[in-house]
Amino acid sequence: MACVLEAPLRMSVLSEVTASSRHYVDRLFDLDPQKVLQGVMLLYLLQQETSSTELRTECAVVLGSLAMGTENNVKSLLDCHIIPALLQGLLLPDLKFIEACLRCLRTIFISPVTPEDLLYTDATVISHLMALLSRSRYTQEYICQIFSHCCKGPDHQTILFNHGAVQNIAHLLVSTSYKVRMQALKCFSVLAFENPQVSMTLVNVSVDGELLPQIFVKMLQRDKPIEMQLTSAKCLTSMCRAGAIRTDDSCIVLKTLPCLVRMCSKERLLEERVEGAETLAYLIETDVELQRIASITDHLIVMLADYFKYPSSVSAITDIKRLDHDLKHAHELRQAAFKLYASLGANDEDIRKKIIETENMMDRIVNGLSESSIKVRLAAVRCLHSLSRSVQQLRTSFQDHAVWKPLMKVLQNAPNEILVVASSTLCNLLLEFSPSKEPILESGAIELLCSLTQSENLALRVNGIWALMNMAFQAEQKIKSDILRGLSTEQLFQLLSDSDVNVLMKTLGLLRNLLSTRPHIDHIMSTHGKQIMQAVTLILEGEHNIEVKEQTLCILANIADGTTAKELIMTNDDILQKIKYYMSHSNAKLQLAAMFCISNLIWNEEEGSQERQDKLRDMGIVDILHKLSQSSDPNLCDKAKTALQQYLA
């Protein structure tokens, strides 16, 4: 690809370049692309050993200013392999040249078009950068900035951690230079994010006799610059989420949480409010007590409602730049507010009630579900999912606003990330006490959910089958038949042989709900009996855990409760032998489940009970019942005695 650079550039930076390199610089602003290309190539050649250090330094400065131009400039420089050339330059002894190379590298790496992995292609680069940290405050500032921009995900964190990033950067937190302190702090905030190894290490590191958490707490005091407060709060949040700091530690409850709530107030810049809310949402996401504390701190729930009021009405804005700024951040603000509401309402019923009673909240969520921004849609669905855990709200607000309609629309065509949360929400809307259950069924949910069970995405398979399980609970026969038809026998077997135990358990739960109430049991077993018995045999013979086998035996107990369906067990000697085997199993849960099967088969008041009792006696079932009636387990003992009474009646 041709190295074409766009002009003009900031001339103030270029004024540093002396006359000796002036003609190279002039070429960079030439309108003829070929001359521009020559200019860049010449600048690239200036990295060669034949050039003086002074000239090389000037070249690094010029390249740095070019990189500050457009993204196309950066792309062109990357195409010319500028990164390896600059990294090579770091091996020279001259400090001014090293600083110029690092400054240019910093500018290139913070550009969104630069792949972070370019920093990690050569294993020796990170070691060398760590060694250069001690050279000057500029090397410290630029290297920390490069690290914090290029640390994306666990692999990068591990590389930096293994190269001693924590030990090498920790002392920079007490540097006399604010910029160095700030960049070191940013480094720790990305290193510790979702990383228990780094977080557990940080908690024990001390600088000048003071532990890092204490240093971070000092940095989030009100008299410190906002970016410092926010970044240190992010460090402490990551350490808390990783379990390195307890959630009830005073540095979290009395320092970090209040600091993040402060960041959500109207006085803060929009971008600070976004970062504050998102970090707070992450901090309290899994802790009930922190959710309660946050919900009553500085009227947070009401304060967040303001996040939906951007951009302000155009008439109130005379400044076009302000309108542009508000528009740019409006999506981010709504996304952050939805995320924080989702965390706040994750567990506590009273908090959910307060959120829903906040002005126009349900309308805002419904609108959020159809926003153009995927991130806002996802956050709105998360918020809805959190609130859908409330029995009270499912019966009232969710019904008043017909939330199921936009939710079903979201489920028709969305990326997996949104589908997973939306289908989890649908699971809650399909619980038996939810008034939304009926209209959802009428809107074609069965077909949609059956298609989810075929997804390659595990969470979607689980949610699809879970929602069907909820749908089948105490449902009328037509719905149950529609579910079985929609799933198909083939898909049912596929789910029963899924490698994930959650999918298997939910599928068994679905079967158990389908096979409840006698007329339904008999009807379903008359149409699908052979396949269901095959599936049951398959699972009881397989290598499955106790819960799976218990659930399967409970399905058999339901079948045994049918009027005609029980004959499918009585005529299947293989299944009868399996029930007998589990009656004498070492696990009491399995013994009890097997006994339910026997009780339902021998119940006296039902037609044909005498023949069934005789057949089971011949198999040795009565002998096992006598043994179990002496069991030390009261449940087993009672159940065995009740069963024996059927023989005596």
Side-chain angles (χ1 to χ4, degrees), residues 276-317:
E278 293 209 335
T279 308
L280 183 55
Y282 180 54
L283 173 67
I284 68 172
E285 189 179 17
T286 57
D287 191 89
V288 189
E289 199 45 44
L290 289 180
Q291 289 157 12
R292 287 187 184 134
I293 295 166
S295 73
I296 55 167
T297 305
D298 294 353
H299 309 289
L300 177 64
I301 291 174
V302 177
M303 198 196 297
L304 281 177
D306 190 65
Y307 277 46
F308 295 94
K309 294 175 183 172
Y310 293 87
S312 320
S313 60
V314 179
S315 57
I317 297 181

Side-chain angles (χ1 to χ4, degrees), residues 116-371:
E116 296 85 16
D117 284 329
L118 290 174
L119 184 67
Y120 305 95
T121 45
D122 180 348
T124 61
V125 168
I126 305 294
S127 309
H128 189 62
L129 288 172
M130 292 293 178
L132 289 174
L133 275 170
S134 59
R135 294 294 298 274
S136 74
R137 73 182 182 88
Y138 294 113
T139 64
Q140 291 166 350
E141 180 192 335
Y142 304 145
I143 290 169
C144 283
Q145 204 170 353
I146 289 168
F147 284 162
S148 60
H149 271 279
C150 294
C151 185
K152 299 278 194 280
D155 292 348
H156 294 165
Q157 289 172 328
T158 303
I159 293 169
L160 292 172
F161 179 79
N162 289 343
H163 279 87
V166 173
Q167 295 75 8
N168 284 300
I169 296 171
H171 70 281
L172 304 182
L173 290 169
V174 294
S175 164
T176 52
S177 158
Y178 172 75
K179 283 183 176 178
V180 172
R181 290 201 303 279
M182 200 54 234
Q183 293 305 334
L185 190 58
K186 282 182 178 173
C187 244
F188 282 130
S189 87
V190 294
L191 277 170
F193 182 65
E194 292 184 344
N195 193 311
Q197 186 187 27
V198 174
S199 296
M200 293 295 187
T201 305
L202 288 182
V203 85
N204 295 313
V205 171
S206 63
V207 179
D208 296 348
E210 200 167 23
L211 287 168
L212 284 195
Q214 294 167 320
I215 295 174
F216 293 147
V217 166
K218 281 185 178 175
M219 287 175 147
L220 54 71
Q221 288 170 349
R222 287 170 186 260
D223 60 341
K224 296 290 185 288
I226 296 299
E227 69 164 345
M228 184 172 270
Q229 290 186 46
L230 250 176
T231 315
S232 46
K234 283 166 95 171
C235 290
L236 289 160
T237 294
S238 290
M239 291 163 78
C240 178
R241 283 299 305 266
I245 300 175
R246 287 167 55 104
T247 53
D248 59 359
D249 191 299
S250 63
C251 79
I252 297 298
V253 178
L254 302 178
K255 303 290 183 183
T256 310
L257 188 147
C259 168
L260 290 169
V261 173
R262 279 202 308 275
M263 295 302 147
C264 298
S265 73
K266 260 184 172 174
E267 286 69 55
R268 300 271 50 89
L269 297 173
L270 299 188
E271 40 270 67
E272 291 163 358
R273 295 174 80 183
V274 168
E275 208 172 339
E278 293 209 335
T279 308
L280 183 55
Y282 180 54
L283 173 67
I284 68 172
E285 189 179 17
T286 57
D287 191 89
V288 189
E289 199 45 44
L290 289 180
Q291 289 157 12
R292 287 187 184 134
I293 295 166
S295 73
I296 55 167
T297 305
D298 294 353
H299 309 289
L300 177 64
I301 291 174
V302 177
M303 198 196 297
L304 281 177
D306 190 65
Y307 277 46
F308 295 94
K309 294 175 183 172
Y310 293 87
S312 320
S313 60
V314 179
S315 57
I317 297 181
T318 49
D319 181 357
I320 199 73
K321 276 187 181 172
R322 159 92 188 281
L323 175 61
D324 191 49
H325 177 263
D326 282 14
L327 277 167
K328 189 179 153 201
H329 290 287
H331 284 132
E332 293 172 8
L333 283 160
R334 289 197 291 278
Q335 179 191 341
F338 281 139
K339 275 187 185 174
L340 186 43
Y341 277 137
S343 286
L344 283 163
N347 294 287
D348 190 287
E349 194 63 29
D350 291 337
I351 298 175
R352 289 186 197 121
K353 192 170 182 291
K354 278 184 196 167
I355 292 170
I356 284 173
E357 287 169 358
T358 307
E359 54 174 318
N360 307 325
M361 192 61 210
M362 290 309 285
D363 291 333
R364 282 175 175 151
I365 294 173
V366 167
N367 293 338
L369 293 175
S370 55
E371 283 223 18

Side-chain angles (χ1 to χ4, degrees), residues 308 334 338 360-372 376-377 379-381 383-384 387 397-407 409-410:
F308 295 94
R334 289 197 291 278
F338 281 139
N360 307 325
M361 192 61 210
M362 290 309 285
D363 291 333
R364 282 175 175 151
I365 294 173
V366 167
N367 293 338
L369 293 175
S370 55
E371 283 223 18
S372 56
V376 177
R377 280 211 308 278
V381 174
C383 184
L384 189 66
L387 300 174
S397 309
F398 275 54
Q399 188 59 11
D400 298 343
H401 291 80
V403 165
W404 63 270
K405 283 184 184 172
L407 186 68
K409 201 173 170 188
V410 166

